[in-house]
Amino acid sequence: MKIAVFGLGSMGYGMAQSLLRAGHTVHGFDVVPQQVERFRDDGGAGGELADIAVSLDAVVVVVLNAGQTKDVLFGDNGVVPRLKDGAVIMSCATVPPEFAMDAEARCAAASIHYLDAPISGGSVKAAEGRLSVMAAGRPEAFAAARPVLDATAETVFDMGDHAGPGSVMKSVNQLLAGVHIATMAEALTFGMQQGLAPDRFLEVISKCAGTSWMLENRAPHI
Amino acid sequence: MKIAVFGLGSMGYGMAQSLLRAGHTVHGFDVVPQQVERFRDDGGAGGELADIAVSLDAVVVVVLNAGQTKDVLFGDNGVVPRLKDGAVIMSCATVPPEFAMDAEARCAAASIHYLDAPISGGSVKAAEGRLSVMAAGRPEAFAAARPVLDATAETVFDMGDHAGPGSVMKSVNQLLAGVHIATMAEALTFGMQQGLAPDRFLEVISKCAGTSWMLENRAPHI
């Protein structure tokens, strides 16, 4: 398949690499030119968006938020109006469920499939093609995005047959992850103030009821 | 060894059973007479505290808090003044570190060893003898309590050579566990309000970055 990945950050770069590994033709786009060059050195395809858009089968959007996703899809140089009928948008940023539902409707009006597909797993799993994807969309959108899901995800949770629930699930996940990472930092500080060595903190808590994915994954970086 | 367990609740009962299984003579005490009777039916030893205290090698205190621990150790019918020299107190309730340090000093004055030994793992691991123990105390206290630790714990974290750090570690763990369980309940409610089925919530989140021990262990009960 011919695929464009918008957003070559820690998650998008890994996903783009996984798509290359799976044998797809992958065009990478990013606001940072060095990231685009680096990806071309890794085997990414070249070309200007205006020239290649009409030949794309899938567009993976791995930017920061709804605003950036909207720009990529429907902005002044937005990709949706340039795509051929039946191409699929896989939207991976964390966005409000209402945004996902609206984007699905706008894509449908342009004969484009839209998959509400937030991701979880961190940059290591992204690079390994082993993400968790909370996907929601019409069956045709799932079918069109299947090769992309196969190359990038270890687990695809089918959250329903229309856009929205994927983003709901992701929001809940982020709420939990955010509270956990803040709590972990507070607890580590509290323990250190009372004389606990940080390594000891991590060793003990990770074996006790106070542990979380965020604690085990992020505390070692602190 | 001859051991008394004070507090036959969900954690203490399991620890007392694990001690029986290891071949020790175990006396169980609780404010609920039915729990004491039930433990005797399970193989616990009988007798009044006043008669047996002097022959005890170890006392395991698995009550709710510092106030109850203080009553058991130093109250009107407290056990510490009745014990023989060299017996060991293993104090498992979550207590302030200052309490643990003070109790160690008072025990030392009575020639009794004191192990600051909060526990983690839940009632199932308690019954299986597979708890995590955050233990701090003098080397003699560790040595005297070793048979009790061997029978009840899968992991013993040696937190230091004086009482206090075990309780610090446990406080930090409880802070995390408390925040996690509250956050999990809020996130589950938030997701349900937006149409996520609770089973689906648990299935997805437990595979994503928002997971925690508390979520995986407690959400199924909600």
Side-chain angles (χ1 to χ4, degrees):
Chain A
M1 279 189 17
K2 197 164 173 183
I3 303 166
V5 176
F6 284 84
L8 297 171
S10 60
M11 300 298 284
Y13 204 95
M15 293 178 76
Q17 285 179 307
S18 299
L19 289 165
L20 277 181
R21 258 202 320 276
H24 299 295
T25 301
V26 187
H27 301 263
F29 297 97
D30 198 278
V31 290
V32 180
Q34 291 88 335
Q35 285 297 87
V36 177
E37 284 170 32
R38 181 182 154 213
F39 184 63
R40 287 191 190 169
D41 291 342
D42 279 0
E48 293 299 314
L49 179 62
D51 302 323
I52 61 154
V54 73
S55 63
L56 292 170
D57 301 297
V59 174
V60 183
V61 187
V62 204
V63 294
L64 278 185
N65 53 33
Q68 291 185 1
T69 302
K70 192 173 181 183
D71 278 351
V72 168
L73 298 185
F74 311 113
D76 290 341
N77 294 303
V79 69
V80 168
R82 305 166 189 253
L83 296 174
K84 67 184 176 196
D85 288 2
V88 61
I89 302 289
M90 179 166 151
S91 177
C92 300
T94 300
V95 302
E98 297 73 21
F99 176 90
M101 290 186 274
D102 182 58
E104 179 185 55
R106 290 182 70 174
C107 284
S111 301
I112 304 298
H113 303 302
Y114 180 89
L115 193 68
D116 174 28
I119 53 180
S120 183
S123 58
V124 173
K125 288 201 166 182
E128 295 172 348
R130 294 178 52 228
L131 291 170
S132 294
V133 180
M134 290 153 260
R138 298 177 188 177
E140 313 88 82
F142 269 100
R146 182 56 56 189
V148 179
L149 294 170
D150 287 346
T152 57
E154 180 175 66
T155 310
V156 178
F157 295 105
D158 183 343
M159 299 303 301
D161 62 1
H162 59 90
S167 289
V168 170
M169 194 74 238
K170 173 71 173 178
S171 300
V172 176
N173 185 65
Q174 291 312 98
L175 164 66
L176 283 161
V179 172
H180 289 170
I181 201 166
T183 311
M184 171 271 286
E186 291 289 342
L188 177 59
T189 306
F190 176 63
M192 287 170 69
Q193 282 170 342
Q194 293 181 81
L196 291 180
D199 290 353
R200 197 80 178 125
F201 165 90
L202 184 56
E203 181 191 353
V204 176
I205 295 287
S206 66
K207 294 261 171 48
C208 291
T211 195
S212 66
W213 188 93
M214 273 294 170
L215 187 143
E216 292 176 49
N217 193 265
R218 299 296 166 80
H221 298 304
I222 296 184
Chain B
M1 277 187 19
K2 197 164 174 183
I3 303 167
V5 176
F6 284 84
L8 296 172
S10 61
M11 301 297 283
Y13 204 95
M15 294 178 75
Q17 285 178 308
S18 299
L19 289 166
L20 276 181
R21 259 201 320 278
H24 299 295
T25 300
V26 187
H27 301 262
F29 296 96
D30 198 278
V31 289
V32 180
Q34 290 88 334
Q35 285 296 87
V36 177
E37 283 170 34
R38 182 182 154 215
F39 184 63
R40 286 191 190 169
D41 290 343
D42 278 1
E48 294 298 317
L49 180 62
D51 302 324
I52 60 153
V54 71
S55 63
L56 292 169
D57 301 297
V59 173
V60 183
V61 187
V62 204
V63 293
L64 280 184
N65 53 34
Q68 291 185 0
T69 303
K70 193 173 179 181
D71 277 350
V72 168
L73 298 184
F74 309 114
D76 290 341
N77 294 303
V79 68
V80 168
R82 303 165 189 254
L83 296 173
K84 66 184 176 196
D85 288 2
V88 62
I89 302 287
M90 178 164 150
S91 177
C92 298
T94 300
V95 302
E98 298 73 20
F99 176 91
M101 289 186 276
D102 182 59
E104 179 185 54
R106 290 181 70 175
C107 284
S111 301
I112 305 298
H113 303 302
Y114 180 90
L115 193 67
D116 173 28
I119 53 181
S120 183
S123 58
V124 173
K125 287 203 168 181
E128 295 171 349
R130 295 177 52 227
L131 291 170
S132 292
V133 180
M134 291 153 259
R138 299 178 187 176
E140 313 87 83
F142 269 100
R146 182 55 56 190
V148 179
L149 294 170
D150 287 345
T152 57
E154 179 175 69
T155 311
V156 178
F157 295 106
D158 183 342
M159 299 302 301
D161 62 0
H162 60 90
S167 289
V168 170
M169 195 73 239
K170 172 72 174 178
S171 301
V172 175
N173 185 64
Q174 291 312 98
L175 164 67
L176 284 159
V179 173
H180 289 170
I181 200 165
T183 310
M184 172 270 288
E186 291 290 341
L188 178 58
T189 306
F190 177 64
M192 287 170 70
Q193 282 170 343
Q194 292 180 83
L196 291 181
D199 290 353
R200 197 81 178 122
F201 166 90
L202 184 57
E203 180 191 353
V204 177
I205 296 286
S206 66
K207 293 259 171 47
C208 291
T211 197
S212 66
W213 188 94
M214 274 293 170
L215 187 142
E216 293 176 49
N217 193 264
R218 299 296 166 83
H221 299 304
I222 295 184

